[in-house]
Amino acid sequence: MAAWFHDAVYDPERADNEERSARLAARMLADTDLPEAAVARVVRLVELTATHAPEEGDRDGQVLCDADLAVLGAEPEDYAAYAAAVREEYAFVPDEFFRAGRAEVLSGLLALPRLFHTPAARERFEERARANMGTELLLLNA
C-alpha cells in the first residue's frame, strides 16, 4: 500500500508531496478494517520516500526506497527517456534554473556512499545508476 500511496499526491511545484500523500493514506486507510498499526506503517513508509534514508534494519523501507529509485539504474536509453520526462514535468522552470537544480539533485545523489539499500538492488542498479546520473550531469553542464 505504501508503494501505491507514495506519489498519490504529486505536484511538481510543491515540495511536500510525500507528506501530503502520507496524510491522504492516513485518511483513506482510517476508513478501512486495517489495524491502526498497519495504517501507521504505511504512513511512515510513504513519508520515508522524501529522504530515501531507511534505518539499517528497516527492510520494508529499504525495499520501498530501492524500488522508488530503481529508474536511476535503468538501461541508458530508458534513463534518457526518464530524464527527458523529468524535464518535461518541470517545463515551467526556465532552463538555467532547471539545469542548476537538477545538477544539485544529481550531485547530491552521487555523493551518497550508496544509493540502494538492499544487496539485490545494489548489485543490479548501483553501478548503472551512477553512470546514468554522471552522464546526465555532464550533459546538464555542457
Side-chain angles (χ1 to χ4, degrees):
M1 281 186 267
W4 189 83
F5 275 108
H6 96 281
D7 275 338
V9 177
Y10 186 78
D11 179 346
E13 295 188 43
R14 294 188 63 128
D16 63 347
N17 292 305
E18 291 84 1
E19 179 185 325
R20 293 170 72 219
S21 293
R23 285 197 313 260
L24 176 65
R27 282 194 313 271
M28 291 183 74
L29 296 176
D31 290 334
T32 68
D33 292 337
L34 284 175
E36 279 186 44
V39 173
R41 189 165 140 214
V42 169
V43 168
R44 180 188 69 78
L45 289 168
V46 171
E47 290 171 339
L48 184 59
T49 63
T51 63
H52 295 99
E55 295 293 325
E56 196 62 41
D58 182 6
R59 177 76 174 157
D60 289 343
Q62 292 172 346
V63 170
L64 180 63
C65 289
D66 285 357
D68 196 30
L69 295 181
V71 67
L72 301 176
E75 293 294 331
E77 57 276 1
D78 294 328
Y79 181 87
Y82 154 77
V86 169
R87 180 60 188 116
E88 187 175 318
E89 185 176 347
Y90 288 88
F92 62 92
V93 177
D95 265 349
E96 73 178 84
F97 296 116
F98 176 81
R99 287 176 179 272
R102 182 71 177 162
E104 185 178 334
V105 167
L106 295 172
S107 295
L109 288 168
L110 287 167
L112 294 172
R114 63 181 188 187
L115 297 166
F116 298 96
H117 303 280
T118 63
R122 270 196 306 277
E123 183 179 318
R124 182 172 179 192
F125 299 123
E126 186 85 25
E127 186 176 322
R128 194 173 327 131
R130 289 184 179 282
N132 285 336
M133 290 188 299
T135 298
E136 183 182 0
L137 195 54
L138 284 173
L139 293 171
L140 287 168
N141 292 323

